[in-house]
């Protein structure tokens, strides 16, 4: 588990984790934050509760913010390292190629989330720790 997420717990930022592609089609993650009151340039959003990809390794279908409304999940990247996502921690899925990541629900059997897709040339405003 990663304790770096505590650093972003300030009034001017939201905690965030960004999934990224690294060498040889592998996936890794960075912990950090995004500024509050920042306009995110996205044209649409959609909600999802489907959990059919649980335990399946996959890349993100597009760069996107994933806002968890309900659920606590453990994400695992290529080297076996993992991190927790729950309401209050923003996931930026940017691992759009290669093997990707896996996730599993830790509490209950639901994951309610919103997706905010990002165009390729749009800033994600992530600030790494």
């Amino acid at each position: 588990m990663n304790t770096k997420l505590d650093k972003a717990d300030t009034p001017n930022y939201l905690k965030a984790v960004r999934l990224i592609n690294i060498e040889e089609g592998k996936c890794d993650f960075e912990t950090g934050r995004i500024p509050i009151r920042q306009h995110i340039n996205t044209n649409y959003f959609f909600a999802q509760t489907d959990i059919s990809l649980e335990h399946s390794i996959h890349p993100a279908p597009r760069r996107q913010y994933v806002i968890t409304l309900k659920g606590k999940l453990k994400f695992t990247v290529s080297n076996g390292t993992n991190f927790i996502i729950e309401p209050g921690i923003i996931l930026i899925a940017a691992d759009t190629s290669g093997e990707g990541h896996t996730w599993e629900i830790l509490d209950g059997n639901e994951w309610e989330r919103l997706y905010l897709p990002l165009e390729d040339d749009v800033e994600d405003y992530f600030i790494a720790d």
Side-chain angles (χ1 to χ4, degrees), residues 72-126:
K72 182 175 183 178
L73 297 99
K74 179 173 74 171
F75 278 74
T76 304
V77 296
S78 299
N79 68 3
T81 306
N82 57 62
F83 61 91
I84 303 297
I85 290 291
E86 58 190 336
I89 302 173
I90 307 300
L91 176 65
I92 302 171
D95 62 328
T96 57
S97 64
E99 65 184 45
H101 59 274
T102 62
W103 56 267
E104 66 178 289
I105 298 173
L106 295 179
D107 293 334
N109 58 1
E110 291 182 285
W111 182 23
E112 293 179 8
R113 64 233 188 244
L114 291 177
Y115 289 97
L116 302 168
L118 298 169
E119 297 295 328
D120 289 337
D121 60 345
V122 169
E123 173 67 44
D124 67 13
Y125 300 103
F126 180 81

Side-chain angles (χ1 to χ4, degrees), residues 36-47:
I36 63 170
R37 297 184 190 96
Q38 178 62 54
H39 175 76
I40 306 298
N41 191 8
T42 185
N43 293 324
Y44 67 98
F45 74 93
F46 61 98

